[in-house]
Amino acid sequence: MVKQVAIIGGGIIGATAAFYLSYLQGNENVQVTLFDDDHGQATKAASGIISPWLSKRRNKRWYALAKRGAELYSDLVKAAQLSDKAYQQTGTIVTRKNHEDLLSLYHDAQIKQQQTPAMGHVELLDADAVQKKMPLLTNPPEGIFVSGGARIDGADFVKELLEHAEANNVQVKHERVSVLPNGDVRSSEGTQTFDHVIVATGAWMHETLAPLGLNVKVRPQKGQLIDLTVAMPSKWRNMPVMMPESMSDIIPFNGGKLVIGATHENDEGFDLTPKPAARNQLFENAKAFISTLSESQITDMRVGTRAYTGDFAPFFGALPDLSSFLVGGGLGSSGLTTGPIIGYFLAQAVLGNHSDDWSRYTKPVSSYIG
């Protein structure tokens, strides 16, 4: 018997879950419908860096999840045949303002690298060596190069995953749906009962689950980034991305696109209006390393809404009193790294292949939804 599955939310969790439900063993036993209204989605507004290994965060569950997420990418990229526009392993340069802090970080990186093949190789670089790897920089810092790091464009990533999913057993409907108190889903076509429902609506999960009498403990955070067009000779192709300490990430894409961002604004609610102050701050952060930039090179400003939990940790699993509902959210600024592995876990659970110990990666869902 074919099971009916709904995915509410087409961001990085929902899109990855949809792909794996169309790809993994047992996919012939499910018919999947993904609903997404395209409004405010953090993933589609984001470009980012996959390189969690040298993070300052000390949450062990978060690190285990992010590490597993980074490891998933090589298989996911091959399985979904993702293009270089969506994802490319370019290497990451991580900086510290204090030289002794950088040396300490390099020591930690060497230890982690021995047990983490996905990191690739690790190099300590002086400023000249950084500039050789990133020739667009005019004021390069010293840093640590991690060859396993990668860049990702959220919009292209989701688009390509869903294209592959739609070619199999997934229907994508661009609309907002509502959950009824009995767990049914109401769409423009009426009310339907699903065998499984995956809810991945980010900061809007409050609204999605409220009819079930549930309170979701997440808050919205506004994130803004800017795109610039810069001259990039062909010999500059596949430049690394850079994560400067306490500054905006610098993410070059082949073809002359340079992404700077993103902001972390807690007092803006669900406002998606681009703000000049954020634009100026992002541009100044970029100019600190690329003094030749001019504001005329800014071509776009993207805005999305992230979801954060009180302990800044993602969560996922089944609702305690409604096991047919699976949820994933609270990704915060690590969504591009942690989202796909959560989508993978949820897809496996729907297919009856749940073999991982999720407590290694997340607190119980009841810690965030009550």
Side-chain angles (χ1 to χ4, degrees), residues 322-353:
L322 191 59
S323 60
S324 63
F325 269 66
L326 295 162
V327 299
L331 302 183
S333 58
S334 67
L336 296 175
T337 302
T338 58
I341 189 63
I342 292 175
Y344 170 80
F345 284 149
L346 297 181
Q348 289 279 33
V350 167
L351 295 172
N353 301 328

Side-chain angles (χ1 to χ4, degrees), residues 173-324:
K173 298 188 177 182
H174 299 281
E175 61 175 291
R176 177 168 292 201
V177 297
S178 57
V179 174
L180 302 181
N182 67 352
D184 287 349
V185 176
R186 178 181 291 158
S187 70
S188 60
E189 297 180 359
T191 300
Q192 186 174 352
T193 300
F194 288 90
D195 297 294
H196 297 280
V197 179
I198 294 175
V199 177
T201 48
W204 287 267
M205 199 182 290
H206 288 286
E207 178 184 334
T208 309
L209 297 181
L212 299 177
L214 298 173
N215 177 41
V216 182
K217 301 170 187 176
V218 299
R219 59 176 172 82
Q221 185 190 75
K222 186 174 183 176
Q224 304 184 67
L225 53 77
I226 56 174
D227 295 339
L228 301 95
T229 296
V230 298
M232 288 191 191
S234 59
K235 63 182 179 181
W236 289 10
R237 285 180 59 82
N238 307 328
M239 269 188 289
V241 293
M242 190 167 81
M243 303 173 70
E245 183 179 22
S246 304
M247 297 281 276
S248 304
D249 292 341
I250 296 177
I251 310 171
F253 285 79
N254 294 336
K257 183 172 81 169
L258 178 66
V259 179
I260 309 297
T263 63
H264 299 75
E265 300 164 66
N266 295 322
D267 56 352
E268 296 287 336
F270 292 89
D271 177 27
L272 296 173
T273 307
K275 296 297 177 69
R279 180 181 184 273
N280 294 339
Q281 184 60 61
L282 291 166
F283 180 70
E284 290 304 315
N285 285 348
K287 283 209 62 163
F289 301 101
I290 312 170
S291 61
T292 53
L293 292 177
S294 68
E295 292 194 34
S296 64
Q297 292 172 273
I298 300 175
T299 57
D300 194 14
M301 187 168 186
R302 290 178 271 159
V303 186
T305 305
R306 309 181 188 96
Y308 266 91
T309 60
D311 61 359
F312 302 97
F315 64 89
F316 61 95
L319 292 181
D321 298 319
L322 191 59
S323 60
S324 63

Side-chain angles (χ1 to χ4, degrees), residues 65-93:
L65 182 67
K67 179 175 177 286
R68 183 77 182 272
E71 292 167 350
L72 178 73
Y73 265 100
S74 61
D75 290 337
L76 175 55
V77 168
K78 291 177 184 176
Q81 299 176 332
L82 299 180
S83 73
D84 290 349
K85 285 181 60 181
Y87 172 91
Q88 188 172 26
Q89 184 177 320
T90 56
T92 305
I93 294 173

Side-chain angles (χ1 to χ4, degrees), residues 13-14 29 62 79 81 91 115 164 202 210 323 365:
I13 292 178
N29 298 320
W62 175 87
Q81 299 176 332
Q115 301 175 343
H164 282 273
S323 60
V365 168

